Amino acid sequence: MRRPLLLASILCVGFSAGACSHEKSQETWQVVHRDRPGALLSVWGTSANDVWVVGGDAGAGQGPEVLHYNASSWKRFDSGYTGDLWWVFGFEGGPVYMGGAGGMILRYEGGSFTKMNTPGADTVFGIWGTSPSDMWAVGGAIGGAQGAFAWRSTGNDWVSAPGFPTEITALGALWKVFGRSANDVWMVGTNGILVRWDGSALSRGDTGLGESLFTVHASSQRFAAVGGGGTGIILENDGSGWSDVSPNGAPVLVGVYLSESAGYAVGRFGAVFSRTNAGWQEEATGVTMNQTLHSVWIDPGGGVWAAGGQVLQTPLVEGVLLHKGPSITGAFE
């Protein structure tokens, strides 16, 4: 496992959207984008040369942030739709799914966007699946006070998931969904709501904590979920139940990602924590920011990408994207 380095990285200041052009080492954090019109809410890709970032709609008539990186430059896509996009997930070669406001799920494939049929109008906060014929979407009302739902898709349309525990609809929202297989899927939400799919039925779980859980992810060894209220929490489940492994003094944590050799959690004020054999430790990124990092992704080469902005209040603006690894460009086509 890569040991975390407490870096005195070069701080990139005094610039708008674009790259920090300083040369950086393999282990240095870089500001790739800053002050994007919309907050950058989710980052995902298939490789370091195929990266998607989606986010807020700043209301300037350009629609939500939809950015793609192809190893040499960035491109901003006009999806043809309006409303914030909260999550992106897909498959190598396509399709790529983007979920957000008003029950909107966009499917990008073959160079075009299609708005899929969905059974509700609350916000889609998370999307995951094993294949385009086995997809999940979760969400609820903006603010998370109610409206929790889970939808399924086996192709072109989405339907309400059969057997969903409807009693939790009045208790909060579901923020994210992730699985290790088609038969091992967890969903997390407001006030510690947990829902599990075991391949045959959905059931409600319990962490024993009342704090909201904003994101869940997994490696082959364990699931991890992050969240918090006054302070940040990290829970892990290696199959024997959920354990609190929260680092002392962490701010609220919003995004988490586990690979087979590493783990990262991100949150308020640009906080970044990495997982080592000694547990979760804070990393010094060298970047000063007031924004919240909302999503983190580890590419197959070990590069780390973290997206955020003003995400805890509307409007969803001031998008920022950080990267750890070989220096990449922030230039647009």
Side-chain angles (χ1 to χ4, degrees), residues 18-20 30 32-33 69-74 305 326-332:
C20 174
Q30 168 193 3
V32 181
H33 297 301
Y69 178 67
N70 66 0
S72 62
S73 64
W74 290 84
W305 308 68
S327 182
I328 65 171
T329 182
F332 281 83

Side-chain angles (χ1 to χ4, degrees), residues 204-218:
R204 184 177 172 183
D206 185 12
T207 64
L209 299 175
E211 302 287 1
S212 291
L213 298 172
F214 297 118
T215 307
V216 60
H217 204 266

